[in-house]
């Protein structure tokens, strides 16, 4: 059986007055992400995990931040395209697991909505999508509320 694993990591700077979009969900907050796209770190990390599993590079390579086509783009569209690429290569997504590090606000109330949005976008069931959130106990750039980060892993299986 052909099994592939991939890992993704993403960081965005936070600044006052911008939108905060995480896992496909817009979250009420005073700060948001500085980014070419909507700055969704969770989706970017998941995209990179999926691409990494197939050694297809990363989202920066697929969707250059110099391209006007991707300016302010809803990252769910990028994830959808990555999932289409995975399918076109003959693989199915077994599961993804994503951890988001953000000091404030608490993400817990939004986690299940994120999983549902990701499920719709990826075409796999919610029970194959894990999203977790943590603070960094006030340490590092996340703790200083200067940025947000996310890690993700993905497991793919070959369809034969
Ligand atoms: Mg990013």
């Amino acid at each position: 059986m052909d099994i592939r694993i991939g890992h993704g990591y993403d960081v965005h700077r936070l600044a006052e007055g911008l939108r905060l979009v995480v896992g496909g969900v817009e979250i009420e907050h005073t700060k948001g992400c500085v980014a070419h796209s909507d700055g969704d770190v969770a989706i970017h990390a998941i995209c990179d995990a999926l691409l990494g599993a197939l050694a297809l590079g990363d989202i920066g390579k697929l969707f250059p931040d110099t391209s006007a086509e991707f300016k302010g783009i809803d990252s769910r569209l990028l994830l959808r395209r990555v999932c289409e690429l995975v399918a076109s290569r003959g693989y199915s997504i077994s599961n993804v697991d994503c951890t988001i590090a953000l000091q404030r606000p608490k993400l817990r109330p939004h986690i299940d909505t994120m999983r549902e949005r990701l499920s719709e976008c990826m075409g796999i069931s919610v029970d194959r999508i894990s999203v977790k959130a943590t603070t960094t106990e006030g340490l590092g750039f996340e703790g200083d509320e200067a940025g947000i980060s996310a890690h993700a892993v993905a497991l793919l299986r070959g369809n034969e």
Side-chain angles (χ1 to χ4, degrees):
M1 192 178 185
D2 186 10
I3 291 176
R4 299 290 192 99
I5 190 167
H7 170 260
Y9 174 63
D10 193 39
V11 172
H12 281 277
R13 189 183 293 275
L14 293 173
E16 296 289 341
L18 298 175
R19 293 168 72 213
L20 181 63
V21 182
V22 190
V25 178
E26 183 153 356
I27 292 162
E28 196 78 35
H29 192 45
T30 54
K31 288 181 169 184
C33 289
V34 178
H36 186 71
S37 67
D38 63 7
D40 192 324
V41 277
I43 287 186
H44 296 175
I46 291 169
C47 284
D48 272 357
L50 295 169
L51 293 170
L54 296 179
L56 293 173
D58 56 44
I59 53 168
K61 181 179 164 191
L62 244 68
F63 312 114
D65 66 6
T66 48
S67 165
E69 185 191 348
F70 307 119
K71 184 146 179 55
I73 197 169
D74 181 335
S75 292
R76 284 178 293 176
L77 299 175
L78 307 181
L79 179 57
R80 208 178 289 269
R81 277 164 70 164
V82 168
C83 290
E84 284 165 6
L85 189 58
V86 167
S88 76
R89 297 287 171 132
Y91 287 84
S92 296
I93 301 163
S94 287
N95 75 302
V96 295
D97 183 18
C98 178
T99 303
I100 304 153
L102 180 69
Q103 191 63 35
R104 266 183 344 116
K106 289 277 183 231
L107 294 178
R108 172 101 296 275
H110 306 287
I111 294 286
D112 286 337
T113 311
M114 290 182 197
R115 293 176 62 219
E116 282 160 22
R117 299 257 163 99
L118 293 169
S119 165
E120 283 163 22
C121 180
M122 300 176 74
I124 60 173
S125 59
V126 171
D127 67 353
R128 293 181 182 273
I129 301 169
S130 163
V131 177
K132 311 189 301 298
T134 184
T135 71
T136 56
E137 300 282 338
L139 299 170
F141 65 83
E142 299 98 333
D144 291 339
E145 299 182 39
I148 176 173
S149 67
H151 289 266
V153 287
L155 199 73
L156 308 184
R157 58 185 190 280
N159 297 330
E160 288 181 278

